[in-house]
């Protein structure tokens, strides 16, 4: 049988084989949402910081700490011309360090609590759904970015460049992911959305 050209090229240049075997593993891990009813409106405003919209009172807040951690392992070999070629193997762990829903302690009516809680869980769902889907969409751009090895004059040079190379690829993708999530969060917190919440709160019976 006549081997396919890529196979012949890989046999001739081990660096091409190295690139074809590069691994990118992405794992998303969900976590339960905690609820806190002990903090004041003042505390929630301070926690919201610059994300606080001045046209509404903060009776509820969702505070998420997303994580995108990655471990880089080096795959190195020598090219036919004697240089060192390298490609990263990536293990990425995505998820959250915390997911907390706050309902201000000033809210005492069960009807009002459930109305605010329902709104906050829209934020929770948006965080989790977009992190889950977004991290899955990282796979193809990463595979494309690391589809060809880099060549170096020494092993030390290769090892020193590997992590900066990975960072230069992942950081823009990470920023795009979080920018997209923040855009969805602001949509949930639109003026129209808060008008709906306020109307539901006004319809609650007096506590």
């Amino acid at each position: 049988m006549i081997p396919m050209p890529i196979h012949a090229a890989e046999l001739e240049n081990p660096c091409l084989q190295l690139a074809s075997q590069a691994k990118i593993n992405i794992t998303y891990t969900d976590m339960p949402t905690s609820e806190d009813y002990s903090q004041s409106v003042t505390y929630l405003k301070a926690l919201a910081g610059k994300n606080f919209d001045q046209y509404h009172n903060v009776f509820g807040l969702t505070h998420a700490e997303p994580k995108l951690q990655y471990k880089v392992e080096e795959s190195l070999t020598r090219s036919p011309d004697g240089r060192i070629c390298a490609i990263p193997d990536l293990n990425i762990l995505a998820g959250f360090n915390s997911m907390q829903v706050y309902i201000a302690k000033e809210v005492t009516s069960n009807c009002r609590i459930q109305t605010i809680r329902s709104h906050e869980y829209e934020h929770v769902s948006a965080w989790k759904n977009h992190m889950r889907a977004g991290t899955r969409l990282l796979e193809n751009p990463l595979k494309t970015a690391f589809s060809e090895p880099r060549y170096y004059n020494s092993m030390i040079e290769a090892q020193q460049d590997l992590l900066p190379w990975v960072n230069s690829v992942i950081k823009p993708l990470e920023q795009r992911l979080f920018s997209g999530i923040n855009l969805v969060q602001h949509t949930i917190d639109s003026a129209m959305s808060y008008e709906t919440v306020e109307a539901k709160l006004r319809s609650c019976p007096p506590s």
Side-chain angles (χ1 to χ4, degrees):
M1 295 180 64
I2 300 174
M4 296 293 288
I6 186 63
H7 294 161
E10 287 177 1
L11 288 173
E12 190 175 318
N13 185 352
C15 296
L16 297 180
Q17 183 178 7
L18 189 74
S20 70
Q21 296 173 347
K23 301 179 185 67
I24 296 176
N25 299 313
I26 302 176
T27 304
Y28 171 82
T29 304
D30 209 342
M31 73 173 305
T33 303
S34 300
E35 298 182 8
D36 187 334
Y37 296 82
S38 65
Q39 306 298 335
S40 67
V41 168
T42 302
Y43 176 87
L44 299 193
K45 283 183 179 180
L47 189 60
K50 62 181 181 181
N51 293 321
F52 171 57
D53 294 312
Q54 295 183 357
Y55 56 78
H56 76 276
N57 292 318
V58 178
F59 291 114
L61 183 70
T62 298
H63 183 70
E65 293 181 11
K67 68 177 178 183
L68 195 66
Q69 300 173 338
Y70 49 97
K71 180 181 179 182
V72 182
E73 296 181 359
E74 59 192 35
S75 290
L76 306 171
T77 191
R78 194 173 293 277
S79 67
D81 63 6
R83 291 181 297 167
I84 299 298
C85 56
I87 207 83
D89 284 338
L90 284 177
N91 286 293
I92 298 176
L93 180 61
F96 299 91
N97 289 317
S98 71
M99 178 66 71
Q100 187 92 17
V101 166
Y102 292 93
I103 307 294
K105 64 182 180 181
E106 287 86 348
V107 183
T108 55
S109 143
N110 185 62
C111 174
R112 292 172 65 84
I113 288 173
Q114 293 307 316
T115 298
I116 295 167
R117 184 177 181 273
S118 177
H119 173 80
E120 294 309 319
Y121 269 85
E122 291 182 39
H123 288 290
V124 172
S125 294
W127 268 113
K128 293 186 176 184
N129 291 339
H130 280 75
M131 276 293 288
R132 186 186 299 108
T135 50
R136 199 161 50 235
L137 292 174
L138 294 178
E139 187 172 352
N140 284 337
L142 290 174
K143 284 183 176 178
T144 300
F146 301 121
S147 60
E148 295 184 8
R150 283 188 175 183
Y151 293 83
Y152 304 92
N153 293 320
S154 70
M155 188 79 71
I156 292 177
E157 185 181 326
Q159 291 170 334
Q160 289 177 340
D161 182 64
L162 203 61
L163 187 56
W165 179 19
V166 170
N167 283 334
S168 72
V169 172
I170 289 185
K171 290 303 181 183
L173 295 173
E174 182 180 16
Q175 290 173 0
R176 193 183 311 163
L177 171 64
F178 291 147
S179 293
I181 293 174
N182 287 333
L183 182 62
V184 173
Q185 298 295 346
H186 285 302
T187 301
I188 295 172
D189 280 343
S190 67
M192 183 178 296
S193 172
Y194 276 107
E195 286 175 5
T196 301
V197 172
E198 288 292 338
K200 290 180 180 178
L201 291 175
R202 287 193 297 270
S203 69
C204 285
S207 52

